[in-house]
């Protein structure tokens, strides 16, 4: 298995960060075979999504998260910024992992699909992401 961890700076606002190019760069160094790309975010307050980006879907996702998981005082887990407890619930809805088939060294994503880190935790501006290729 090939594996590599990268650091992603997400900043101080909620973000949908496209990881697709990072994944492609990782795969380019793996020999061009078939397998499964597993993406893992080792954080309790971030998740992964495979969605369209750049046409408003990323903003729609953040708005939907705010609608379904409001950043307010309802959360029992209370430290950090107001409403931070919802950040700890986020990975139950957007898991911290994703798996994508790889054929001939290339991701088999659909036309508009991207692999995205979703980070609503404004208290933690730096994230780690691990790419692992399980060869076929």
């Amino acid at each position: 298995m090939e594996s590599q961890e990268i650091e992603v700076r997400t900043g101080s606002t909620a973000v949908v960060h496209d990881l697709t190019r990072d994944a492609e760069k990782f795969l380019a160094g793996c020999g061009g075979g078939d397998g499964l790309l597993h993406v893992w975010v080792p954080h309790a307050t971030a998740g992964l999504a495979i969605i369209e980006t750049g046409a408003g879907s990323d903003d729609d996702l953040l708005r939907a998260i705010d609608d379904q998981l409001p950043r307010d005082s309802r959360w029992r887990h209370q430290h950090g910024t107001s409403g931070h407890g919802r950040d700890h619930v986020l990975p139950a809805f957007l898991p911290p992992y994703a798996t994508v088939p790889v054929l001939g060294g290339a991701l088999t994503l659909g036309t508009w699909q991207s692999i995205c880190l979703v980070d609503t935790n404004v208290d933690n501006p730096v994230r780690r992401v691990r790419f692992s290729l399980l060869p076929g």
Side-chain angles (χ1 to χ4, degrees), residues 7-122:
E7 185 176 278
V8 176
R9 296 198 170 275
T10 55
S12 60
T13 60
V15 66
V16 175
H17 179 88
D18 192 339
L19 296 168
T20 308
R21 286 195 177 100
D22 296 307
E24 292 169 340
K25 183 179 175 183
F26 165 72
L27 289 173
C30 290
D34 297 345
L36 294 173
L37 174 68
H38 185 74
V39 186
W40 171 248
V41 180
H43 296 282
T45 58
L48 293 165
I50 297 179
I51 63 166
E52 176 183 10
T53 60
S57 297
D58 34 359
D59 291 330
D60 289 341
L61 175 58
L62 292 175
R63 191 171 307 110
I65 291 169
D66 285 340
D67 289 346
Q68 296 299 311
L69 304 170
R71 183 176 287 284
D72 59 23
S73 63
R74 75 183 68 201
W75 308 101
R76 288 186 180 181
H77 183 104
Q78 294 186 9
H79 70 84
T81 58
S82 176
H84 172 67
R86 77 90 180 251
D87 299 326
H88 286 275
V89 174
L90 178 76
F93 294 89
L94 292 171
Y97 57 86
T99 302
V100 178
V102 175
L103 295 174
L107 294 167
T108 60
L109 293 169
T111 302
W112 302 112
Q113 289 181 317
S114 296
I115 304 167
C116 296
L117 169 66
V118 181
D119 185 7
T120 61
N121 182 355
V122 299

